[in-house]
Amino acid sequence: GNSVTQMEGPVTLSEEAFLTINCTYTATGYPSLFWYVQYPGEGLQLLLKATKADDKGSNKGFEATYRKETTSFHLEKGSVQVSDSAVYFCALTHNAGGTSYGKLTFGQGTILTVHP
Amino acid sequence: NAGVTQTPKFRVLKTGQSMTLLCAQDMNHEYMYWYRQDPGMGLRLIHYSVGEGTTAKGEVPDGYNVSRLKKQNFLLGLESAAPSQTSVYFCASRTSGQGPEQYFGPGTRLTVT
């Protein structure tokens, strides 16, 4: 079956530091890959996505590249801010149809805390 | 356009009580999902629906039932709540066509004592 593994957290950084959160996956075929972010007390928001190999998703200064050869989708940001403090989830899905019906498989989440 | 809404936001139940969580979406999405979020475990799929009148089991369906009588609503029921069902519940929806992302509601925090 499908699975997603994220680096263990929590991650604590100072403002303007470089961020990497590792994500690797196991899936058949060609899944779509996502990073979702959950701010304190809120639901999940889509941060970025990539739907095929070598695609780079980007949003709000965050980037992730779909690497099929290493089955990875690592999240990076060059300079984090206090407002980036949140829980980050890596996830995958296959397109709707077939037997997957677009179900998301999530990693366990990584808590990021950024200090001033 | 409210997106995905969930009712209630918070609830405390005693063991053995029942309740229904309501999810509503105004995006005309065909697919809807219920997840639970527990510390260190990410989100796990409880049940899902691919259209009005259809439901299917996800990864952790035991103790829950669902109904999709209208396309815009997806109800999650707990017939006899247990402390193990203390969790945060999220509803999500997506289109059946291109554009694979799911859109999430704000969540319901349920405590079973």
Side-chain angles (χ1 to χ4, degrees):
Chain A
N2 299 334
S3 67
V4 176
T5 302
Q6 289 181 233
M7 67 183 286
E8 294 284 334
V11 175
T12 303
L13 295 173
S14 297
E15 207 164 26
E16 300 183 2
F18 183 85
L19 169 70
T20 299
I21 301 178
N22 290 339
C23 171
T24 58
Y25 69 89
T26 301
T28 56
Y30 299 90
S32 296
L33 302 174
F34 306 87
W35 278 100
Y36 279 87
V37 59
Q38 184 180 30
Y39 297 104
E42 298 184 10
L44 278 73
Q45 303 174 24
L46 180 66
L47 180 59
L48 53 84
K49 67 177 182 180
T51 58
K52 60 183 187 296
D54 300 325
D55 266 3
K56 178 185 281 188
S58 61
N59 186 26
K60 299 181 181 180
F62 291 89
E63 292 183 340
T65 301
Y66 188 161
R67 302 284 188 202
K68 187 160 178 63
E69 65 275 14
T70 55
T71 63
S72 65
F73 193 54
H74 305 321
L75 183 69
E76 296 182 336
K77 186 175 185 182
S79 177
V80 293
Q81 305 300 312
V82 172
S83 57
D84 293 327
S85 298
V87 184
Y88 292 82
F89 293 94
C90 186
L92 68 81
T93 188
H94 288 274
N95 284 325
T99 59
S100 67
Y101 298 110
K103 289 176 285 184
L104 279 170
T105 299
F106 284 90
Q108 73 270 37
T110 301
I111 299 172
L112 171 66
T113 303
V114 180
H115 292 298
Chain B
N1 189 333
V4 180
T5 58
Q6 292 183 233
T7 309
K9 287 188 169 53
F10 304 94
R11 186 72 186 269
V12 179
L13 289 179
K14 290 184 174 10
T15 298
Q17 288 184 319
S18 64
M19 78 163 292
T20 300
L21 282 67
L22 170 64
C23 175
Q25 53 94 4
D26 61 3
M27 297 174 282
N28 203 34
H29 286 167
E30 290 81 8
Y31 293 3
M32 297 186 74
Y33 310 84
W34 275 107
Y35 296 90
R36 59 178 289 172
Q37 182 183 24
D38 301 296
M41 301 187 73
L43 277 74
R44 293 180 292 168
L45 182 65
I46 305 171
H47 285 280
Y48 64 100
S49 167
V50 300
E52 183 178 321
T54 72
T55 62
K57 294 180 180 180
E59 185 184 356
V60 288
D62 294 342
Y64 305 95
N65 57 75
V66 287
S67 64
R68 183 103 181 264
L69 299 180
K70 294 182 179 181
K71 185 177 184 179
Q72 63 267 34
N73 295 339
F74 193 29
L75 279 62
L76 177 71
L78 287 72
E79 290 186 348
S80 179
S84 60
Q85 294 177 304
T86 294
S87 188
V88 181
Y89 292 86
F90 288 100
C91 177
S93 71
R94 60 160 284 180
T95 177
S96 62
Q98 294 299 315
E101 61 262 39
Q102 292 182 16
Y103 296 84
F104 283 80
T108 295
R109 183 174 294 277
L110 175 66
T111 302
V112 183
T113 62

